[in-house]
């Protein structure tokens, strides 16, 4: 498998607005098992080990890229197979922000919620990511580009170990709350730029939260790549070939 790994940090991303659809590639609990099996259960060490292989540039976004060779498959065959996988995987039609048959380009933007949670001294954090996944199709090959610009945080100021809030008001980071719901004064949303946190910044008060977030983001990108490769080479159901 020809896998090209690039981790690029980019300040701006010229694509459509972020969708709120939940991807069905892998549930967060299964993703954590997947990540632990490959990178170990010590998130700080795993994040630092991954960082050793990253290439950072002036742009500040996290990008993972893979070229999948599929000899004998036409551009149209790959386009149809990929559309089948995208439609079956991302349930909300708004997840597909671009679908250009002639150009051979599909872009998907989808949120995977709660990839990492951490209870700190004063706050509890729940991390989600909204990767942008771009598919570029040519005769006999497909390029997949997976990009994450920020960690999306739901911060609970009542959920830390030493929070001053009394127990009757604790929410413990109710991550099921909608992102725009402002009814709970103890919960608020924020974004953390990946390049400004651990392991790219050593002295980071949120290093435990960001370590797991990085490892889980890396694991999710690999899960996407594996699922796409399986779908375009062998189909989704095992019975979706041209011999019928």
């Amino acid at each position: 498998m020809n896998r090209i790994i690039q981790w690029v940090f980019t300040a701006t991303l010229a694509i459509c607005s972020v969708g709120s659809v939940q991807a069905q590639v892998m549930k967060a609990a299964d993703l954590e098992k997947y990540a632990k099996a490959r990178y170990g259960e010590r998130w700080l060490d795993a994040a630092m080990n991954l960082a050793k292989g990253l290439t950072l540039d002036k742009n500040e976004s996290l990008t993972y890229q893979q070229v999948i060779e599929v000899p004998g498959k036409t551009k149209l065959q790959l386009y149809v197979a990929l559309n089948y996988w995208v439609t079956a995987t991302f349930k909300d039609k708004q997840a597909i922000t671009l679908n250009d048959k002639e150009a051979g380009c599909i872009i998907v933007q989808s949120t995977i919620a709660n990839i990492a949670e951490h209870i700190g001294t004063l706050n509890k954090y729940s991390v989600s990511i909204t990767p942008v996944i771009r598919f570029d199709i040519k005769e006999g090959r497909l390029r997949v580009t997976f990009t994450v610009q920020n960690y999306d945080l739901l911060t609970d100021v009542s959920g830390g170990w030493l929070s001053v809030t009394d127990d009757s008001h604790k929410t413990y980071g109710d991550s099921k709350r909608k992102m725009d719901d402002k009814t709970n004064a103890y919960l608020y949303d924020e974004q953390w730029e990946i390049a400004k946190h651990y392991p790219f910044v050593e002295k980071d008060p949120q290093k435990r939260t960001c370590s797991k977030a990085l490892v889980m983001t890396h694991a999710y990108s690999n899960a996407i790549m594996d699922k796409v490769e399986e779908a375009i080479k062998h189909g989704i159901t095992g019975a979706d070939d041209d011999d019928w």
Side-chain angles (χ1 to χ4, degrees):
M1 180 171 57
N2 181 18
R3 177 163 291 179
I4 303 172
I5 302 176
Q6 295 179 335
W7 295 89
V8 187
F9 284 73
T10 187
T12 59
L13 193 58
I15 54 175
C16 303
S17 60
V18 172
S20 59
V21 62
Q22 174 69 37
Q24 301 299 312
V25 174
M26 188 178 290
K27 294 180 180 179
D30 294 329
L31 181 62
E32 183 165 339
K33 293 178 183 178
Y34 179 94
K36 287 180 176 179
R38 284 155 179 77
Y39 313 116
E41 299 189 14
R42 298 172 63 90
W43 302 113
L44 286 168
D45 293 342
M48 182 54 70
N49 288 334
L50 286 175
K52 294 176 183 178
L54 306 185
T55 300
L56 311 182
D57 72 10
K58 62 183 179 181
N59 292 316
E60 302 189 346
S61 65
L62 186 61
T63 296
Y64 182 100
Q65 191 172 82
Q66 177 182 344
V67 175
I68 304 171
E69 303 287 349
V70 195
K73 292 285 187 179
T74 67
K75 179 179 177 180
L76 179 59
Q77 286 174 319
L78 291 174
Y79 176 81
V80 171
L82 187 57
N83 262 279
Y84 186 17
W85 180 81
V86 167
T87 302
T89 301
F90 303 98
K91 304 302 183 181
D92 191 328
K93 293 181 179 179
Q94 293 180 351
I96 302 174
T97 62
L98 176 67
N99 194 339
D100 190 324
K101 180 179 178 181
E102 184 177 349
C105 182
I106 301 171
I107 298 178
V108 176
Q109 200 166 9
S110 179
T111 295
I112 177 167
N114 309 327
I115 61 166
E117 290 189 346
H118 177 67
I119 298 177
T121 305
L122 298 177
N123 303 321
K124 179 176 180 179
Y125 304 101
S126 177
V127 185
S128 300
I129 56 172
T130 302
V132 177
I133 309 166
R134 174 172 175 151
F135 306 96
D136 293 294
I137 308 163
K138 292 184 177 182
E139 297 290 325
R141 64 198 321 219
L142 168 69
R143 184 178 65 187
V144 187
T145 306
F146 177 103
T147 301
V148 180
Q149 188 170 24
N150 303 293
Y151 298 132
D152 299 312
L153 273 293
L154 176 60
T155 301
D156 179 6
V157 299
S158 72
W161 295 114
L162 297 180
S163 296
V164 296
T165 310
D166 63 89
D167 288 342
S168 64
H169 289 89
K170 281 184 178 289
T171 61
Y172 299 100
D174 182 9
S175 54
K176 295 181 180 180
R177 179 189 67 94
K178 294 181 178 179
M179 297 296 282
D180 294 330
D181 179 5
K182 306 302 181 184
T183 59
N184 189 329
Y186 297 108
L187 299 177
Y188 66 95
D189 304 304
E190 57 181 325
Q191 286 188 327
W192 293 351
E193 295 181 45
I194 294 174
K196 294 183 179 180
H197 288 274
Y198 188 85
F200 310 109
V201 174
E202 176 63 29
K203 294 182 178 180
D204 178 13
Q206 287 87 26
K207 66 164 45 180
R208 294 187 179 278
T209 304
C210 291
S211 292
K212 185 175 181 180
L214 177 68
V215 176
M216 292 284 279
T217 299
H218 183 88
Y220 186 60
S221 72
N222 277 274
I224 288 282
M225 303 296 183
D226 291 344
K227 294 288 187 180
V228 170
E229 184 170 17
E230 174 67 20
I232 64 172
K233 287 185 175 180
H234 307 293
I236 297 176
T237 66
D240 45 352
D241 56 34
D242 294 329
D243 187 15
W244 56 278

